Amino acid sequence: MKRQFLTVALGMLVSTSAMAGGTVSGTIKYDGQVPPMKTIKMSADAKCEAKHTEPVTAEALVLGEGNTLANIFVRVKSGLPEGKTYETPAEPTVLNQLGCMYVPHVIAVQKDQPVKILNSDGTLHNVHGLPTKNAEFNVAMPAFKKEISKTFDQVEDPFKVKCDVHPWMGGYIAVMDNPFFDVTAQDGKFEIKDLPAGDYEIEFWQEKLGTQVQKVTVADGATQTLDVTMTRPETVGQLNFIVIEN
Ligand SMILES: [Cu+2]
C-alpha cells in the first residue's frame, strides 16, 4: 500500500516538472543588401591598436554565416502574468572593454542585477552610460582599475554606453524586470525558456534596424520555433547606416 502511494507521488512530480512552461527559440537573419562596415582606426591609442591583428569594423550590423544577426535583443513584450515579480539574479553579467571595444556589444540584465564592467586593456577607458530612466553614469577606469560594478533600478530599453577616450567605442545595455530575454551571438540564435503557457508578443531589437514584434503561442513542455528576418527600414538611409565616426 505504501509502495503504491510512493509510485503515484513520484509520477505526479515528474509530470509537473515536464509541464513547467515552454520555450520559444529560433534564428534571426538579415535580409537585404549588406552595406560595407566602416573600418575603425585605432591609431590614436597604440595599446588599443596592438590588441588587434585583423582590421576592426564598426558593429552597426554584425552578421554570421548565412546572414544571421548578432546583437539582437529579444524579449517578451506582452503576455506575462500581470503583477508577478521575479527574483533578481545575484550572478553578474559581464561587459568587458577588450581591444577598445565593448564585448559583448549588447547586454541585457534584470533590475538590480550587477553588471561587472571590466577593463582588460591596460589603458584608460571612461565608461559613460546614457540611460534616460536610470541615472546617467560616467566612470573613469584607468589602466590599474580592472573592474567596477553597476546596477540599474529601472526597466529600460537598450541605452548607449560610450567611452569618452575612444570615440569609436559604443555598446548597449537593456534592463528588464523578468528573466524572459536573450541577446544573440553571431549565429543569430535565441532561446527564451520556462515561459508559462499562453499567448505572447516577442520583440526583436537591433540598434539600426529597429524593432519587430512577432506573436507566438506557448504550450507547456513544448518548444515553439520563431525564425525571424529583419531588414533595413525605409527611414534608414544607406549612408547613415554605415557611418560611424571615429
Ligand atoms: Cu575606451
Side-chain angles (χ1 to χ4, degrees), residues 119-142:
N119 178 2
S120 297
D121 281 337
T123 192
L124 169 69
H125 287 298
N126 187 97
V127 194
H128 190 173
L130 300 164
T132 54
K133 296 190 170 147
N134 290 282
E136 186 175 336
F137 59 96
N138 195 345
V139 185
M141 290 184 73

Side-chain angles (χ1 to χ4, degrees), residues 48 97 100 102 121 123-126 163-166 169:
C48 299
Q97 297 165 104
C100 302
Y102 290 110
D121 281 337
T123 192
L124 169 69
H125 287 298
N126 187 97
C163 175
D164 295 335
V165 182
H166 308 109
M169 288 180 71

Side-chain angles (χ1 to χ4, degrees), residues 6-71:
L6 259 178
T7 310
V8 172
L10 271 174
M12 282 172 66
L13 200 68
V14 170
S15 67
T16 307
S17 74
M19 297 288 280
T23 299
V24 180
S25 67
T27 304
I28 307 161
K29 287 188 175 177
Y30 175 72
D31 180 39
Q33 196 199 343
V34 179
M37 287 293 118
K38 186 165 180 161
T39 303
I40 297 171
K41 294 184 197 75
M42 294 194 183
S43 45
D45 190 319
K47 284 214 164 117
C48 299
E49 198 166 42
K51 295 259 175 179
H52 299 276
T53 50
E54 303 279 324
V56 182
T57 50
E59 295 176 298
L61 185 75
V62 178
L63 300 174
E65 217 167 295
N67 284 354
T68 51
L69 269 166
N71 302 321

Side-chain angles (χ1 to χ4, degrees), residues 232 236-244:
R232 189 162 50 204
V236 178
Q238 188 157 333
L239 284 173
N240 290 339
F241 189 64
I242 60 166
V243 170
I244 290 191

